Amino acid sequence: MPIFSHLHQLFHVDTCHAYLHRLRWKDRPLQCPRCQSDDVGPWGTYHYRPRCKRYRCRDCKRTFNDLTGTLFDRSKRSLAHWMLATFLLCLSCSSRRIARELGVHIRTGYRWCWWLRNAALSYEMHRQLDGTVEADDLYHTAGNKGQAKQGGKKSLGRRARGRRKKREPGRGHYDKDRPAIIAWVSRQRGVVVQATRDFTVRTVQKAADLAVQAGSRLYTDSAGSYRALQGYVHDFVNHTKKEYARGDVHENRAECLFSLLKPYLRVFRGLSKTNLPGYLGFFQFLRNYRQLTAFEQAGLILYAALDPAISSRARKGEFVKCLDHFDLLQMQRN
Ligand SMILES: [Zn+2]
């Protein structure tokens, strides 16, 4: 195999370490990640990793380096692997593709993608739209892919869907492996994409309360769940009467967002319901920072991943759990 068969070989080790060093301490004070003490001093380097600067905390008497407590802590792969993986993730590559380009195992690729997606979601936790907001809904097939315990094949609990099988008529539902996706697009700035169990009035009201500031102007289609919304200045177009725009009233931006979301999700060749909110959240991140290049977006993700607080939550997948709106109805019943 030629030496440069993998792109990450072109990265220079010193440059990578210097870049991450700058990124980690850019806006954060140089302090001990264990006891948050500022009383730290340099403490040489590691013999097996000479470029990684080491520091010692004079309070807890322990040493740390630029990577302690971050997502890259104790990784056996080089930083170049991680940076390239983040870059490819922003170009919406699948985890298998990333694993192949980097020359790591697919399970490593999958774990990295999941952690990095979680780190990106930390930017999207409290996003609320205002101004003029368009909304639309979509139903996406999502089953139980990869959810078997201990891996391997599992009983689906249903007949295999088959390739391009015609779906059941009517609206989808979480229990029918076809959860709803609601997109909220502000004409001023920002988008919010949510996965919900169904499309009932209560679910949509709850989803709207999370995504859109009360009192905003809302343009939708004529679905009953939107018409029942309270707390917004609402107007709609009637698609059944072939009305798609009436002056300012239309939802073309929301529909356009779905035309971008569909090919984005197609890359992954099927999703599980459990992971759908994570993928949607990352798509939302990419859309909300779409004026940046993929390298700049990757820089944002790396910056978040270098925060010990964010990275420990990202490893546990807590950001996706926060964005998981499938239990909206359950929350209301309690
Ligand atoms: Zn300390």
Side-chain angles (χ1 to χ4, degrees):
M1 195 187 283
I3 298 173
F4 292 129
S5 63
H6 296 300
L7 200 55
H8 60 85
Q9 311 263 16
L10 295 169
F11 284 57
H12 198 279
V13 191
D14 290 345
T15 327
C16 292
H17 270 287
Y19 173 71
L20 283 194
H21 174 82
R22 226 175 32 249
L23 206 59
R24 170 141 196 198
W25 309 114
K26 191 170 65 171
D27 303 319
R28 308 175 180 116
L30 180 62
Q31 61 177 12
C32 171
R34 298 195 181 86
C35 65
Q36 275 73 43
S37 160
D38 291 326
D39 193 11
V40 294
W43 197 255
T45 52
Y46 300 89
H47 66 274
Y48 54 90
R49 204 196 259 166
R51 276 103 181 173
C52 198
K53 263 192 212 150
R54 199 176 182 189
Y55 311 91
R56 182 169 179 271
C57 169
R58 294 192 190 93
D59 280 336
C60 66
K61 312 277 192 271
R62 294 183 66 180
T63 61
F64 63 96
N65 56 48
D66 290 340
L67 305 179
T68 304
T70 69
L71 273 193
F72 324 118
D73 192 8
R74 275 174 269 169
S75 172
K76 286 178 189 163
R77 301 290 179 175
S78 73
L79 291 178
H81 280 90
W82 279 97
M83 289 158 77
L84 196 63
T86 320
F87 170 63
L88 290 174
L89 193 69
C90 293
L91 289 180
S92 55
C93 285
S94 66
S95 71
R96 283 188 179 234
R97 181 70 190 272
I98 291 174
R100 202 169 148 209
E101 300 298 333
L102 295 181
V104 299
H105 195 272
I106 46 169
R107 277 186 218 142
T108 313
Y110 181 81
R111 189 175 64 247
W112 285 12
C113 286
W114 203 236
W115 286 353
L116 291 169
R117 265 196 204 104
N118 265 281
L121 290 188
S122 64
Y123 289 98
E124 299 297 324
M125 294 321 288
H126 304 291
R127 191 170 292 279
Q128 235 194 357
L129 307 179
D130 50 9
T132 308
V133 180
E134 300 174 15
D136 199 10
D137 52 299
L138 172 85
Y139 301 91
H140 193 270
T141 308
N144 295 313
K145 181 183 174 187
Q147 300 299 313
K149 293 266 184 296
Q150 270 89 44
K153 283 198 119 178
K154 66 195 172 296
S155 62
L156 289 166
R158 57 165 169 80
R159 276 179 52 215
R161 236 182 244 120
R163 302 274 171 232
R164 307 286 297 142
K165 179 186 168 254
K166 279 188 226 71
R167 54 182 178 254
E168 292 174 48
R171 292 193 186 282
H173 189 280
Y174 182 84
D175 299 332
K176 284 196 271 179
D177 282 353
R178 211 165 154 70
I181 298 174
I182 311 178
W184 311 89
V185 185
S186 169
R187 285 194 188 166
Q188 280 70 35
R189 76 191 125 80
V191 301
V192 171
V193 190
Q194 296 164 326
T196 57
R197 288 182 75 89
D198 49 29
F199 197 66
T200 55
V201 175
R202 302 168 95 191
T203 312
V204 176
Q205 179 72 52
K206 189 91 184 170
D209 291 341
L210 286 172
V212 189
Q213 255 177 39
S216 305
R217 183 170 288 276
L218 205 61
Y219 293 148
T220 64
D221 56 26
S222 57
S225 297
Y226 292 128
R227 286 200 266 180
L229 277 177
Q230 288 172 351
Y232 302 96
V233 187
H234 182 222
D235 211 341
F236 61 91
V237 285
N238 198 335
H239 286 348
T240 41
K241 286 187 189 160
K242 300 261 187 253
E243 181 190 49
Y244 294 98
R246 191 176 63 246
D248 230 12
V249 186
H250 64 80
E251 43 143 24
N252 291 343
R253 283 169 211 231
E255 294 192 12
C256 171
L257 189 73
F258 281 142
S259 82
L260 293 166
L261 177 66
K262 281 178 199 167
Y264 175 77
L265 292 180
R266 176 148 280 203
V267 170
F268 307 115
R269 294 289 177 271
L271 301 171
S272 88
K273 311 187 242 202
T274 331
N275 292 343
L276 185 62
Y279 286 100
L280 292 181
F282 190 68
F283 177 74
Q284 181 185 321
F285 166 83
L286 291 181
R287 285 305 294 168
N288 283 325
Y289 291 95
R290 68 181 181 280
Q291 71 276 28
L292 304 182
T293 64
F295 262 119
E296 288 164 336
Q297 289 170 344
L300 280 178
I301 299 177
L302 291 173
Y303 180 75
L306 283 170
D307 188 323
I310 291 179
S311 92
S312 75
R313 291 184 69 192
R315 283 188 191 210
K316 293 180 207 147
E318 284 180 14
F319 293 109
V320 171
K321 277 179 211 152
C322 292
L323 285 183
D324 193 337
H325 301 308
F326 284 140
D327 48 4
L328 272 178
L329 270 184
Q330 266 67 23
M331 273 154 50
Q332 279 172 337
R333 282 191 194 120
N334 293 339

